[in-house]
Amino acid sequence: KQDPIKYYIGIDVGSGSVRAALVDEFGTVVAHAEQPIQIWEPQTDHYEQSSADIWTACCSVTKKVVCGVDSSRIRGIGFDATCSLVVVDKQFQPLAVNCEGVNYRNVIMWMDHRAVSQVERINATQHRVLSYVGGVMSVEMQPPKLLWLKENLQESCWEKAGYFFDLPDFLSWKATGVTARSLCTVVCKWTYTSDGGWDDSFWKMIGLEDLVKDKYEKIGNHVLCPGESVGKGLTPEAAKDLGLPEGIAVAASLIDAHAGGLGVIGADVKGHNLPCENQPITSRLAMICGTSSCHMGVSETPIFVPGVWGPYFSAMIPGLWLNEGGQSATGRLIDHVVRGHVAFPELQSKAAASAHSIYTYLNSHLDLIKKSLPVGFLTVDFHVWPDFHGNRSPLTDLTLKGMVVGLTLSRGLDELALIYLATIQAIALGTRHILETMQAAGHDIKTLFLCGGLSKNPLFVQMHADITGKPVVLSKEVESVLVGAAILGACASGDFASIQVCNA
């Protein structure tokens, strides 16, 4: 008789929601659930969340996806999350990251830009660790945020803090009680290097020598590769929270974009006549397109790309170097532009009447007004500069602002459709700028692999193909990020020898 099918759970904490999937040993998503999480914006450019709210959502979606499944067949759990900063005290209780002293809000989100002056001072040091983040550190990384906490909340937060976690590592700690960190998070967001570990001189130079004193206890001195099993698996308490048996293997985590990259970049594309067929995986670029976008390219040897994060060794795929380009606002920008337009209420009611989403409706409206030329030509006199939240790559300039050129006095749906199209084109041109910078530095990218929410929008996909001139591959399994997280769980369970085997 056949052995019963084995299952793995992937849990993905995005910016606005937590999602879980139950994935079988063949990589198929069997069940899927989602729950929103709260974001607070107490002042401009400050974005905060609650680790308790996030964990509650993780438990709720996990219980939904395992409902009715024989739990003895669930073998492993993998987490991925945004690279937000979680602060807890010495007893692991939440600690406020805000001036109001609200302890419940103990997470500084990845997209928080409060640490502008701190990141400028860090970059002025020109310390050698910066060469591994494209030469310039981003305000979205953790050292500037830590420095901000020390300088602004010295007594209420900094002195009381017991541990600073990247959100993916907070989740594996919550599940296992073990404070080990993932190589992915500490290398990509904290300046750890896979050959030398932490660099004392960097932390001292930027004014955070306190972290060196206790042998990096607060930010992690036990580092595991993504997919390695953490501790003894689920603790009794976490098992109860999640509705699972204790002891199930828990994997060292990944940042959400890296989980998406892992979920798509190894896809089998034989028989489609693509330029990356029979080529190494280094000819592929994985694009994870959600609230923001990340562009993940791997190489056999380190490639230093000005303005593009990395090279990071083994941060996504063991044994390969990763470069990560990105755009700080993509899905969020499209939403902002569309919802802020005066014709938005009309769009909402027409989309509802036709039983379509607003974006499906806008796409068909563009087809209606395009006449004989392809839809892309509608914006010949209409242009958007998309850096409404600064430029992450390759200009690394967070002071940049957005711009719209070609506005008229018209206020109808046609104009809303045009600004929507021009915004998508601007984002695709940003991708092309990142690609060209990576190619100039030595990458040889032939094909784009897209996943994430925006990859479900055919116009977004088409514009990326047209503007970059590269073929675009979409995953058959839409939830690539969740599959990436489940691959970690499968790896931690010992059922597969390595991440590469899980991915094959």
Side-chain angles (χ1 to χ4, degrees):
K1 76 178 188 43
Q2 275 190 310
D3 284 339
I5 290 175
K6 298 184 179 108
Y7 295 108
Y8 310 93
I9 297 169
I11 300 172
D12 163 51
V13 179
S15 301
S17 67
V18 174
R19 302 178 309 145
L22 187 69
V23 179
D24 68 19
E25 59 194 273
F26 310 107
T28 309
V29 173
V30 182
H32 167 258
E34 183 164 3
Q35 182 166 315
I37 47 177
Q38 275 188 282
I39 297 176
W40 287 269
E41 190 184 352
Q43 49 183 295
T44 308
D45 281 343
H46 287 231
Y47 294 96
E48 295 169 6
Q49 287 183 313
S50 153
S51 64
D53 176 50
I54 290 168
W55 181 250
T56 302
C58 289
C59 298
S60 153
V61 289
T62 302
K63 283 174 178 157
K64 282 182 188 149
V65 299
V66 300
C67 190
V69 174
D70 173 358
S71 60
S72 67
R73 288 158 59 183
I74 299 169
R75 305 270 304 148
I77 300 178
F79 292 96
D80 74 76
T82 65
C83 46
S84 300
L85 177 70
V86 185
V87 187
V88 294
D89 66 17
K90 294 172 179 67
Q91 286 74 48
F92 294 97
Q93 294 306 304
L95 204 49
V97 294
N98 45 68
C99 308
E100 299 93 281
V102 182
N103 285 332
Y104 187 67
R105 290 178 2 223
N106 66 322
V107 180
I108 300 182
M109 282 187 77
W110 62 271
M111 62 186 186
D112 183 289
H113 280 192
R114 68 181 69 180
V116 172
S117 77
Q118 287 77 12
V119 81
E120 284 168 357
R121 278 178 277 143
I122 291 171
N123 285 328
T125 66
Q126 298 187 336
H127 192 280
R128 66 178 190 85
V129 296
L130 299 178
S131 64
Y132 286 88
V133 290
V136 185
M137 179 167 284
S138 163
V139 71
E140 293 172 12
M141 292 178 178
Q142 309 304 9
K145 290 174 179 167
L146 293 168
L147 190 54
W148 186 93
L149 289 172
K150 181 175 177 179
E151 291 178 348
N152 292 275
L153 304 174
Q154 170 92 30
E155 285 173 22
S156 62
C157 176
W158 186 256
E159 287 171 6
K160 293 181 181 168
Y163 300 89
F164 299 102
F165 287 104
D166 216 280
L167 181 54
D169 296 325
F170 168 82
L171 296 170
S172 60
W173 164 74
K174 193 78 180 156
T176 63
V178 174
T179 61
R181 308 303 205 272
S182 162
L183 185 68
C184 173
T185 59
V186 291
V187 164
C188 296
K189 306 296 168 191
W190 298 71
T191 73
Y192 190 87
T193 57
S194 32
D195 50 358
W198 298 116
D199 187 315
D200 295 358
S201 68
F202 170 70
W203 296 102
K204 289 172 181 167
M205 189 181 274
I206 67 168
L208 293 179
E209 60 290 333
D210 341 23
L211 298 175
V212 184
K213 278 209 286 278
D214 57 8
K215 299 194 172 61
Y216 298 102
E217 177 72 22
K218 288 182 178 170
I219 59 171
N221 46 24
H222 178 203
V223 177
L224 299 173
C225 287
E228 265 190 82
S229 112
V230 183
K232 298 189 170 88
L234 278 185
T235 62
E237 190 188 358
K240 189 166 165 275
D241 284 353
L242 293 160
L244 292 167
E246 65 180 272
I248 289 178
V250 175
S253 55
L254 279 171
I255 297 166
D256 53 351
H258 302 61
L262 183 63
V264 292
I265 201 165
D268 177 8
V269 292
K270 285 191 181 62
H272 293 283
N273 219 359
L274 285 164
C276 65
E277 194 174 333
N278 303 321
Q279 293 283 321
I281 198 166
T282 51
S283 67
R284 304 174 173 201
L285 184 89
M287 252 188 87
I288 300 84
C289 330
T291 304
S292 64
S293 290
C294 294
H295 308 69
M296 321 291 260
V298 291
S299 56
E300 300 273 352
T301 55
I303 298 175
F304 292 84
V305 187
V308 171
W309 295 344
Y312 301 134
F313 186 64
S314 286
M316 184 171 80
I317 296 171
L320 292 177
W321 293 84
L322 169 71
N323 280 111
E324 180 188 347
Q327 293 163 289
S328 291
T330 50
R332 188 158 159 254
L333 175 66
I334 295 167
D335 256 3
H336 173 78
V337 165
V338 170
R339 290 174 186 277
H341 193 276
V342 67
F344 180 66
E346 183 192 347
L347 167 65
Q348 251 183 326
S349 59
K350 286 192 164 159
S354 69
H356 285 303
S357 78
I358 53 172
Y359 294 117
T360 305
Y361 188 88
L362 273 177
N363 291 351
S364 58
H365 189 78
L366 284 166
D367 279 336
L368 213 68
I369 59 177
K370 71 176 188 194
K371 305 190 177 69
S372 55
L373 287 169
V375 76
F377 287 91
L378 280 170
T379 48
V380 64
D381 295 320
F382 203 104
H383 311 286
V384 171
W385 182 268
D387 294 326
F388 286 41
H389 199 48
N391 182 288
R392 190 189 290 169
S393 312
L395 302 175
T396 63
D397 184 346
L398 58 98
T399 66
L400 280 176
K401 305 284 184 274
M403 185 162 62
V404 182
V405 178
L407 292 169
T408 66
L409 292 174
S410 60
R411 297 159 61 88
L413 257 187
D414 286 8
E415 206 228 15
L416 171 50
L418 284 188
I419 193 168
Y420 160 70
L421 171 61
T423 303
I424 287 179
Q425 289 173 324
I427 291 166
L429 284 159
T431 293
R432 177 170 152 178
H433 192 190
I434 290 164
L435 257 176
E436 286 171 350
T437 308
M438 289 175 74
Q439 307 259 49
H443 280 275
D444 179 22
I445 291 155
K446 295 183 162 59
T447 310
L448 307 183
F449 286 69
L450 263 60
C451 69
L454 287 175
S455 70
K456 300 171 193 171
N457 182 335
L459 183 71
F460 184 89
V461 175
Q462 189 61 55
M463 288 303 124
H464 273 76
D466 292 352
I467 284 170
T468 63
K470 308 266 183 212
V472 171
V473 177
L474 295 177
S475 170
K476 186 169 72 204
E477 191 51 80
V478 187
E479 302 299 345
S480 303
V481 179
L482 283 166
V483 172
I487 285 174
L488 297 174
C491 194
S493 71
D495 294 345
F496 296 84
S498 69
I499 279 182
Q500 278 92 332
V501 176
C502 299
N503 214 343

